[in-house]
Amino acid sequence: MINKLSIDTTLLDQMPKQGISHPVPIIASDGNVYFLKNFKIDNGDIYDAMFFQEALATQLAQAINLPVPDWAIITIDNQTLTDFPELRFEYQFVPGQYYASRKISGNIIDLVNVVNEAAQLKIRGSVQKLHNIFSKIKNKQDIPKIILFDFWTLNIDRFTNSGNLILRNDNDGNYLLSIDFGHCFNGPKWDKNTQNFFNQLIQAIKDQHELQFCADLTKGYLNLSQSHGQLRWKLGIIFNELERQIQFSNSINPFSKSEFDIRSISDSKLTLILNSIPAPWITDGSTQKEAYFSFLKNQRAILPNLIQYLADQKIFTNYNGGTLTWHQEKNISTQ
């Protein structure tokens, strides 16, 4: 069930440093703290697919038990903007429905600063410090799922951006959560570039050119890493830290269970999720929903080939060669 809430009060003194959408911390009507996002950016640009993709990817993540924050739809009306005028004048909110991510409680590690220090290679011991933090992750079994999910939803912003993961420090280790899905699916806009990319995938499968598509996709990730000055870490410094924690063996494919879970999301479940997204967040109505449905179906079909290609290209440090095996049976408990 999706929470539909209103704003009780704002917490502007707790504004996060990261986030291109400048998420505003609020206390919602359920008494919990959320980060309220806006689809308008400082330069006047509008990310018209961001809320749609946040809601879609978050619900898909929850369907496979990927660790993500809870979320809610926050309604802002004229009275809200009268009560909190800074939302209108400083943060450019207008009446409507907005995506909000619930704040993770506990001691959160400042991953952004640690990663930036390591990426710049200017502070002695910074890379080892980063290694130590990731080595203490206690839910390492979720790491293959996080990586595979990001490839499924084409979360191009994950592996070079330290602001898209949260590490909550508990007494017995660090617990990893995945956040921010607005830039999945080739970007936060529903435009010709995204539509063309979706069509390229579908055409590649029709023409049985999946391997070439996997190679092109990998090249795209490598180019992105290079543009961020992170190519020394292959797909990016975040990916490098995550993949170091994944263990392969002759009999175990660490991605197999996650791929099986993704494949087990039924068409009806996927349709239900798409239909749950508020209409104002959908730029192109049923055409857009059908395009995402088709992309998700086709993209998950190539995931085994993509992981095998990445392994063969030595992207995974602990991979020792050989053909990866995958679950073949159908999940009788498909949602």
Side-chain angles (χ1 to χ4, degrees):
M1 181 178 178
I2 301 173
N3 286 327
K4 297 181 179 180
L5 308 171
S6 57
I7 298 176
D8 186 44
T9 189
T10 59
L11 301 169
L12 298 183
D13 59 329
Q14 300 179 27
M15 284 287 292
K17 298 177 182 179
Q18 292 292 111
I20 192 171
S21 59
H22 300 296
V24 176
I26 63 166
I27 298 177
S29 52
D30 66 349
N32 292 305
V33 177
Y34 290 83
F35 290 106
L36 177 69
K37 298 189 176 184
N38 200 342
F39 53 85
K40 294 182 179 179
I41 309 303
D42 283 346
N43 62 8
D45 207 355
I46 294 178
Y47 288 168
D48 61 354
M50 187 171 73
F51 289 173
F52 174 89
Q53 294 179 169
E54 288 272 19
L56 172 58
T58 301
Q59 291 183 83
L60 290 173
Q62 291 171 333
I64 62 170
N65 297 315
L66 189 74
V68 294
D70 290 332
W71 71 288
I73 298 171
I74 303 292
T75 298
I76 293 179
D77 55 19
N78 283 316
Q79 185 60 52
T80 306
L81 297 175
T82 298
D83 294 338
F84 307 103
E86 64 275 11
L87 292 180
R88 183 198 301 272
F89 296 113
E90 187 172 354
Y91 298 104
Q92 301 182 348
F93 283 90
V94 297
Q97 293 179 310
Y98 292 82
Y99 181 94
S101 178
R102 185 170 169 177
K103 182 180 180 180
I104 300 298
S105 60
N107 182 26
I108 305 301
I109 296 174
D110 187 357
L111 193 59
V112 173
N113 283 339
V114 175
V115 170
N116 288 344
E117 290 174 358
Q120 293 168 9
L121 297 176
K122 293 181 179 179
I123 300 178
R124 185 176 181 181
S126 58
V127 174
Q128 187 58 48
K129 180 180 178 181
L130 186 62
H131 292 343
N132 291 340
I133 289 174
F134 275 82
S135 68
K136 294 177 182 177
I137 291 175
K138 67 178 185 178
N139 60 322
K140 290 183 181 181
Q141 74 281 357
D142 289 324
I143 291 178
K145 187 183 298 185
I146 289 172
I147 289 177
L148 198 68
F149 186 82
D150 284 336
F151 282 132
W152 182 33
T153 57
L154 204 67
N155 193 1
I156 60 175
D157 201 31
R158 171 79 66 210
F159 302 142
T160 56
N161 187 343
S162 55
N164 285 352
L165 288 174
I166 284 182
L167 278 173
R168 186 186 69 219
N169 179 245
D170 296 335
N171 292 331
D172 57 344
N174 302 325
Y175 189 81
L176 181 67
L177 297 98
S178 184
I179 63 171
D180 285 350
F181 299 103
H183 287 247
C184 291
F185 305 104
N186 207 47
K189 296 182 180 181
W190 176 243
D191 55 18
K192 290 297 182 183
N193 288 333
T194 297
Q195 295 170 45
N196 289 338
F197 186 87
F198 283 11
N199 290 332
Q200 289 172 19
L201 166 65
I202 295 169
Q203 192 62 46
I205 291 179
K206 286 182 178 179
D207 296 340
Q208 297 184 333
H209 292 162
E210 293 98 328
L211 188 59
Q212 184 59 53
F213 185 84
C214 291
D216 292 342
L217 189 59
T218 301
K219 183 179 179 180
Y221 276 100
L222 291 170
N223 288 340
L224 184 65
S225 179
Q226 184 176 29
S227 70
H228 283 76
Q230 298 183 12
L231 191 57
R232 70 174 66 238
W233 292 284
K234 300 175 184 176
L235 300 192
I237 192 168
I238 293 297
F239 181 88
N240 180 72
E241 293 301 326
L242 291 174
E243 70 86 11
R244 284 164 58 94
Q245 308 305 322
I246 298 175
Q247 300 299 321
F248 293 82
S249 74
N250 292 333
S251 60
I252 297 176
N253 172 3
F255 292 97
S256 183
K257 175 64 166 59
S258 300
E259 188 274 335
F260 181 56
D261 291 343
I262 290 173
R263 180 161 35 96
S264 298
I265 297 177
S266 67
D267 290 359
S268 59
K269 176 67 173 181
L270 184 52
T271 299
L272 184 67
I273 290 174
L274 285 163
N275 288 339
S276 74
I277 299 173
W281 295 358
I282 307 172
T283 304
D284 203 12
S286 60
T287 299
Q288 184 176 353
K289 290 195 291 185
E290 289 168 4
Y292 279 79
F293 179 90
S294 180
F295 174 82
L296 286 164
K297 290 267 293 179
N298 284 280
Q299 179 73 353
R300 73 178 174 186
I302 71 165
L303 288 176
N305 284 336
L306 177 59
I307 295 299
Q308 183 69 61
Y309 179 83
L310 292 170
D312 291 339
Q313 298 302 308
K314 304 186 185 306
I315 297 296
F316 298 111
T317 304
N318 297 318
Y319 171 71
N320 295 317
T323 301
L324 299 173
T325 58
W326 304 87
H327 282 286
Q328 298 299 322
E329 72 273 18
K330 183 178 180 180
N331 189 347
I332 60 174
S333 62
T334 295
Q335 302 176 54

